[in-house]
Amino acid sequence: MPADLGTSWNLVDSAHQTYLRWAGIPVEYDVRRYLEAVAGIEALGCARITDEELCARAAAVRDKARANALTSDAGRRGSTGSPRAPQRGSTPTRPALSGVEGLPRWGPRGCRAGDPATAEPVEGRTSHNALLDALLPEVFAIAREAAARLLGMRPFDVQVAAGVALHEGKLAQMATGEGKTLVAVLPAVLNALGGRGVHIFTANDYLARRDAEWMGPVYRFFGLEVGFVVQGMTHDERRRAYAADVTYVTAKEAGFDFLRDHTADDLGRVVEQRPRHTVIVDEADFILIDEARVPLVIAGSTPGLAIDHRRLAALVRELRRGIDYDADEYQRTVVLTEAGFRRAGELLGGVRLDRPEQNLLLSAVHVALHAEILLKRDRDYIVRDGRVELVDEFTGRVAENRRWPHGIQPAVEAKEGVEVRPEGKILGSIPIQHFVRLYPKIAGMTATAVPAAAEFQQFFGLTTVVFPPNRPGARVDEDDVVFTHRAAKTRALLDEIARVHATGRPILVGTASVRESEELAAALKERGVKCRVLNARHDAREARIVARAGTLGAVTISTNMAGRGTDIVLGAGNRQMREQVLALDGLYVIGTNRHESRRIDDQLRGRAGRQADPGTSRFVISLEDDLIQRYGVLGLTPRAHRPAPQTGAVDDPIVRREIARAQRIIEGQNFEIRKTLWRYSQMVDEQRRMVYERRQAYLLDQVEPDGCAEGAPEHHRALVEAAGPAAVRRAEQRLAMHLLDRAWSEHLGLIEDIREGIHLQRLGGREPLTEFSRQIIDAFAEMMDRVDEETVAIFQRLTAEGGEIDLARVGVGGSSSTWTYLVNDDPFSTLGTSLLASRTLTSAVSILAVMYWPITLVVTAGVLVRRWLRRRAQTEPPGEHSDEDRATKSG
Ligand code: ADP
Ligand code: MG
């Protein structure tokens, strides 16, 4: 064991350590305990045995696990799926999805709420864990050896130690290129042998496939099955992949499948048949923090509103800034003036927009104005193949499948003259954080955990453990080079790239936006420097380009997240070239902007210096950069240190320090925002759980519905006589499920309305969060009662013909087509995003006070449209609606 392997204090900056200690956030720097476990594993001596012996030991440990897993799970319900499971002993131990134990107040028989994921008896869990702990040394020892022989990679001591930490449900911080993919295999094998499925979340589809295939031999060696799920897979393929012992999948796909499973009206359409158990989240900060800002949504079809987006798009172009409307790009607001009201009204052919009956139209005008003024092509979105595609402000990458809410999406489509696509009705939605928490056992790994250690601890109960690299890194992180204005920065960047490129040294440039990458590439081309630009959507192609970023003479320009998880091997496998690149000091990483969090900056730096290779990283920034402007960094800098515009770099540590400080404040703010949003979304999550549990109980036929027998006894009796008790029971369950789905979808819409109006409560002196909970709790209770009543009412219209109950007559069955997407703003994060866009740098409290302003416009639009829709819908009788009608109803 290398001498410096025991602790990793030196890897973390001391100010942050002090802060974490002060805040009581445990971060483990002393990894000796884990390394001692490695010594125990080595003592089992698997390295010296023959292949046959290794096989025999794997089989023996598997049998031992199986036998014990069965006893420790005895007495519990058996599998509802996974046909191949019994042969391998990986019998799923709980009924599919959430069980019926502990139904909420609104459960069919009025029991108490319980977390579906933790509904398992504590006793069973302890014995299960004790079993796994006992098996750990043996399993890790065999797996280590198997990896060495099958993959040609023998996990280093730190890797094995990190595997132990993962098994304990920790968050392992390991630098990029240290081999986290391999680390995850050890705990995954162990937990899968325990008989319960293991999911490994990867950062993208490409990695899900790559890792499953790459690590597959080790799993199979233990007789375990491995699968992966990627976009575009069929129902059967998904089902098979989830039934495997270990499944590689993105959090997004798994979350969408979860939502889809909870709209299925018979068990055959459910892809995930086992209860969620263990998840290991790779690139944990990316998935649990950055990506998690965007909730997953599944939507059903809905007819478009009668708004002519194109006409409005043309109209707002006629309006004049400062006369007809006032706009503030930083605060993200745009409002019509008095004159604007009149002008827009005239342009619409003499409409009085200030009249209440024109509210809907007025909102639509505002939305069109928002799209025209505040959203900029090639910054906020790009237009490609006749589609508007959002650019994630955080990662600078095109966000696949993401939409703006509240009619903004069609407004932008109209602005760009592309096809206006319908918005859809939300059938289900879940933030990734909540989804991940459905797993009783969560572990994670990433190169950048410490800056977000507090968040991991508070949201997921994950303790960060910092592992030192296997061999000390040789990367040099240079100080930032700061210019006063952008032109000087660009010139310096181009000079630096051209200079270094002339030596043949590979360069990776990380930019903040698609536009910036393209401008830089064009400028380099003019200088005769050939480069590759990465802003592709295709993970695989992206990965291929990034993988070649370490070759001689390569210049790769990418937005900062591109190719996360891809291994940049110097020389890309060519040994001679590798030597040449090593002689040139390895990969040179240049960042052209500081990002909103150190994690993102550190990820970029981490692309260099893989597995103790040499490398250099440096940020070249200007005081005109978006981030610095937006957060008024100059205002923070003491007057004496505010540099005058100059062509050379500013060589003042105070300026650099202020930039770093601003970044920390922003991080803190963003964390505060996420905490606030979390509080809001938690209540909705609770309700979602109740609805889903009740739904699952019906789907799995675990409860006898009793509402109709009590509410309409005569009709019930008559139907039972005509069709038999089983058919009536099934019909009632299907009907209740259908009505529950519809009510839930409407409830989601209502929550959005409440949330949008909630800021007004502050004006009335009330606490928004309290008011919000009160309202949604009332609405929920009302909704559940309504479902019960409607079920009985519609049940009375059911008839049995030829001994069969025809549900289609009352509009049940034949589910509408669904699709999935991510909303750029969830019911709460309109607040969040506007906060992120706020340049106020004061305390979180004042932030929360101002947070409600920037959304004024969206608020009007969203609320009014939905009110109007609901009012319209309320005039229709319930019950006999097709899906189309349903869609209109909830908007
Ligand atoms: P990370 O996810 O930590 O950035 P990867 O899992 O992509 O790292 O692995 C980085 C590189 O390290 C890969 O090329 C892999 O082959 C190599 N590697 C990892 N572990 C070992 C090992 N124990 N022995 C040799 N090479 C390894
Ligand atoms: Mg990785």
Side-chain angles (χ1 to χ4, degrees):
M1 189 189 308
D4 56 349
L5 257 175
T7 70
S8 43
W9 274 105
N10 53 341
L11 293 178
V12 188
D13 72 81
S14 58
H16 194 69
Q17 277 172 30
T18 314
Y19 161 74
L20 289 171
R21 265 216 217 103
W22 173 80
I25 308 295
V27 173
E28 296 179 28
Y29 299 97
D30 187 345
V31 294
R32 270 173 298 206
R33 183 166 76 76
Y34 302 101
L35 285 163
E36 277 157 19
V38 179
I41 290 162
E42 253 335 79
L44 294 174
C46 283
R48 290 176 298 276
I49 62 181
T50 64
D51 287 355
E52 287 71 33
E53 265 176 275
L54 194 66
C55 277
R57 281 171 87 158
V61 78
R62 188 189 58 205
D63 292 342
K64 194 149 96 190
R66 180 192 299 175
N68 285 302
L70 288 180
T71 31
S72 83
D73 289 329
R76 283 195 279 146
R77 245 178 301 248
S79 159
T80 43
S82 187
R84 292 154 308 136
Q87 308 145 19
R88 295 189 321 276
S90 56
T91 313
T93 49
R94 281 196 285 152
L97 304 151
S98 46
V100 66
E101 306 99 321
L103 276 170
R105 198 189 120 203
W106 290 276
R109 286 273 51 159
C111 324
R112 271 307 314 152
D115 186 335
T118 53
E120 176 183 343
V122 176
E123 210 178 289
R125 212 173 332 147
T126 355
S127 62
H128 183 78
N129 282 348
L131 162 71
L132 294 185
D133 292 347
L135 289 177
L136 186 144
E138 179 84 16
V139 171
F140 273 40
I142 299 168
R144 184 180 202 179
E145 207 40 47
R149 296 184 194 184
L150 291 163
L151 307 176
M153 294 188 288
R154 183 162 200 275
F156 303 121
D157 284 356
V158 256
Q159 285 177 304
V160 180
V164 175
L166 291 186
H167 172 65
E168 289 181 9
K170 300 274 171 65
L171 176 59
Q173 170 166 305
M174 299 180 85
T176 311
E178 283 296 302
K180 291 185 282 293
T181 319
L182 185 56
V183 170
V185 175
L186 304 174
V189 166
L190 176 62
N191 283 272
L193 285 174
R196 298 176 193 182
V198 176
H199 290 182
I200 299 181
F201 285 171
T202 60
N204 58 46
D205 278 357
Y206 159 76
L207 292 173
R209 180 194 292 267
R210 181 199 78 173
D211 294 355
E213 286 170 355
W214 187 15
M215 299 294 138
V218 183
Y219 295 115
R220 286 189 284 274
F221 181 74
F222 282 92
L224 296 168
E225 205 144 317
V226 57
F228 64 89
V229 180
V230 294
Q231 241 183 71
M233 272 191 169
T234 64
H235 179 271
D236 286 342
E237 287 168 328
R238 282 169 196 270
R239 201 176 162 137
R240 228 171 298 132
Y242 284 118
D245 300 284
V246 179
T247 312
Y248 286 84
V249 56
T250 62
K252 255 191 267 182
E253 277 309 305
F256 282 140
D257 282 329
F258 166 79
L259 291 173
R260 269 189 296 250
D261 278 355
H262 283 84
T263 59
D265 48 18
D266 81 81
L267 201 52
R269 289 185 44 219
V270 172
V271 294
E272 162 75 284
Q273 298 270 339
R274 282 188 301 189
R276 277 163 294 282
H277 193 262
T278 300
V279 64
I280 300 173
V281 186
D282 193 7
E283 304 289 354
D285 60 323
F286 174 62
I287 292 175
L288 299 181
I289 297 177
D290 301 335
E291 280 239 307
R293 291 174 316 133
V294 182
L296 308 168
V297 168
I298 76 166
S301 50
T302 174
L305 287 178
I307 289 176
D308 187 346
H309 293 286
R310 282 183 207 288
R311 179 162 177 218
L312 293 181
L315 178 147
V316 295
R317 254 173 248 139
E318 306 268 309
L319 302 178
R320 295 149 303 177
R321 191 182 188 125
I323 300 172
D324 297 324
Y325 64 88
D326 293 318
D328 181 341
E329 267 89 359
Y330 281 123
Q331 298 286 346
R332 300 233 168 178
T333 55
V334 52
V335 270
L336 282 179
T337 59
E338 281 293 318
F341 266 69
R342 279 195 302 275
R343 183 98 197 281
E346 280 160 27
L347 290 169
L348 284 166
V351 176
R352 288 277 310 269
L353 282 176
D354 50 355
R355 288 276 172 77
E357 67 271 20
Q358 298 300 352
N359 273 346
L360 182 64
L361 190 56
L362 176 61
S363 310
V365 172
H366 263 130
V367 168
L369 203 53
H370 182 111
E372 176 67 27
I373 309 299
L374 299 181
L375 296 174
K376 296 230 162 39
R377 186 172 173 162
D378 289 336
R379 185 194 68 189
D380 300 302
Y381 62 91
I382 61 166
V383 178
R384 182 161 52 185
D385 305 332
R387 276 167 171 249
V388 168
E389 297 181 22
L390 267 75
V391 172
D392 185 302
E393 80 232 72
F394 212 66
T395 64
R397 294 186 62 193
V398 171
E400 208 165 332
N401 253 333
R402 204 182 292 180
R403 294 172 67 92
W404 286 288
H406 317 305
I408 296 175
Q409 185 81 21
V412 175
E413 284 161 352
K415 167 187 172 186
E416 293 296 340
V418 301
E419 187 199 343
V420 177
R421 290 180 297 153
E423 194 142 55
K425 174 186 77 151
I426 296 182
L427 299 176
S429 141
I430 191 168
I432 286 182
Q433 283 118 333
H434 289 294
F435 173 62
V436 170
R437 281 164 49 110
L438 295 176
Y439 291 82
K441 184 166 177 182
I442 306 173
M445 34 189 206
T446 175
T448 44
V450 172
E455 190 154 352
F456 285 120
Q457 182 71 44
Q458 289 178 20
F459 282 14
F460 303 98
L462 278 170
T463 299
T464 302
V465 186
V466 183
F467 286 92
N470 178 49
R471 283 187 293 148
R475 189 184 74 217
V476 180
D477 294 329
E478 304 278 4
D479 273 343
D480 291 2
V481 185
V482 186
F483 291 90
T484 50
H485 53 290
R486 207 173 268 151
K489 161 179 132 176
T490 311
R491 208 170 317 122
L493 262 173
L494 292 172
D495 287 347
E496 177 74 353
I497 295 171
R499 183 185 68 78
V500 175
H501 175 64
T503 68
R505 185 176 185 188
I507 306 171
L508 176 72
V509 187
T511 65
S513 70
V514 178
R515 175 183 288 182
E516 200 189 339
S517 335
E518 274 162 8
E519 283 171 0
L520 193 61
L524 281 173
K525 204 163 162 200
E526 241 168 63
R527 289 230 182 168
V529 176
K530 270 223 305 239
C531 59
R532 285 173 177 268
V533 185
L534 257 182
N535 44 38
R537 273 175 311 164
H538 301 291
D539 303 330
R541 197 191 310 149
E542 197 170 280
R544 234 174 295 135
I545 296 179
V546 173
R548 298 202 53 83
T551 53
L552 214 54
V555 178
T556 314
I557 302 178
S558 84
T559 50
N560 70 71
M561 277 297 167
R564 190 159 179 167
T566 317
D567 195 17
I568 302 183
V569 181
L570 299 184
N574 178 323
R575 189 171 278 169
Q576 191 191 348
M577 190 193 283
R578 179 178 158 80
E579 291 305 319
Q580 286 170 295
V581 175
L582 284 178
L584 291 164
D585 287 336
L587 182 65
Y588 184 24
V589 171
I590 305 178
T592 66
N593 285 272
R594 283 296 207 104
H595 299 97
E596 287 205 350
S597 99
R598 271 168 301 163
R599 289 184 295 104
I600 314 277
D601 291 347
D602 290 351
Q603 282 288 340
L604 183 61
R605 291 190 198 277
R607 307 315 305 249
R610 161 195 177 275
Q611 299 251 326
D613 282 346
T616 307
S617 79
R618 163 179 278 146
F619 280 82
V620 180
I621 56 184
S622 91
L623 298 177
E624 286 179 347
D625 289 350
D626 260 7
L627 183 81
I628 292 173
Q629 288 277 311
R630 202 194 300 166
Y631 292 97
V633 172
L634 266 193
L636 290 177
T637 315
R639 200 171 288 275
H641 289 273
R642 280 181 216 166
Q646 57 193 66
T647 41
V650 180
D651 192 17
D652 186 344
I654 305 266
V655 173
R656 277 197 289 268
R657 198 189 65 200
E658 287 310 323
I659 293 170
R661 191 157 76 99
Q663 197 179 34
R664 298 229 165 148
I665 298 173
I666 295 162
E667 281 174 8
Q669 265 181 19
N670 288 347
F671 182 28
E672 282 305 317
I673 294 165
R674 287 192 292 266
K675 275 201 281 198
T676 307
L677 299 176
W678 174 265
R679 276 182 217 120
Y680 278 84
S681 64
Q682 217 167 2
M683 258 164 287
V684 184
D685 190 56
E686 182 77 16
Q687 299 186 339
R688 171 182 28 249
R689 230 176 52 201
M690 293 186 200
V691 167
Y692 281 4
E693 278 181 21
R694 186 172 180 177
R695 197 185 187 287
Q696 288 318 113
Y698 289 142
L699 181 70
L700 301 175
D701 194 16
Q702 291 171 330
V703 287
E704 179 84 50
D706 51 13
C708 296
E710 280 168 22
E714 273 152 45
H715 191 69
H716 191 266
R717 220 171 303 127
L719 272 187
V720 170
E721 264 163 39
V728 174
R729 171 187 163 106
R730 196 71 208 123
E732 186 177 347
Q733 287 168 333
R734 297 267 318 262
L735 181 61
M737 251 157 57
H738 175 83
L739 293 169
L740 193 59
D741 288 350
R742 188 172 85 179
W744 176 241
S745 172
E746 285 167 6
H747 185 67
L748 288 175
L750 180 74
I751 289 174
E752 230 176 296
D753 282 6
I754 299 177
R755 183 264 313 172
E756 282 164 1
I758 207 69
H759 64 290
L760 298 173
Q761 300 297 338
R762 187 178 287 281
L763 302 180
R766 276 175 294 236
E767 218 287 295
L769 184 62
T770 320
E771 197 52 28
F772 175 81
S773 6
R774 195 185 59 71
Q775 292 191 23
I776 72 160
I777 288 170
D778 289 354
F780 187 75
E782 205 181 288
M783 168 193 121
M784 292 305 245
D785 291 343
R786 202 174 59 236
V787 169
D788 289 342
E789 283 161 25
E790 278 180 8
T791 308
V792 175
I794 298 175
F795 180 81
Q796 281 171 299
R797 294 214 295 269
L798 289 178
T799 51
E801 264 140 52
E804 296 215 355
I805 300 178
D806 183 11
L807 284 166
R809 254 203 69 231
V810 292
V812 178
S815 65
S816 63
S817 60
T818 57
W819 65 87
T820 55
Y821 61 84
L822 303 112
V823 236
N824 206 39
D825 280 323
D826 75 324
F828 312 105
S829 67
T830 333
L831 309 179
T833 335
S834 33
L835 283 181
L836 297 174
S838 154
R839 65 187 145 168
T840 329
L841 260 183
T842 43
S843 72
V845 181
S846 66
I847 294 283
L848 293 179
V850 300
M851 70 196 257
Y852 304 107
W853 283 107
I855 49 160
T856 331
L857 171 181
V858 182
V859 169
T860 357
V863 171
L864 295 177
V865 170
R866 261 184 301 279
R867 292 259 152 84
W868 175 75
L869 283 171
R870 196 161 314 117
R871 211 174 310 128
R872 217 180 59 168
Q874 269 160 8
T875 52
E876 296 166 33
E880 281 157 314
H881 294 297
S882 66
D883 277 279
E884 299 293 286
D885 295 332
R886 268 167 59 184
T888 332
K889 214 179 159 187
S890 65

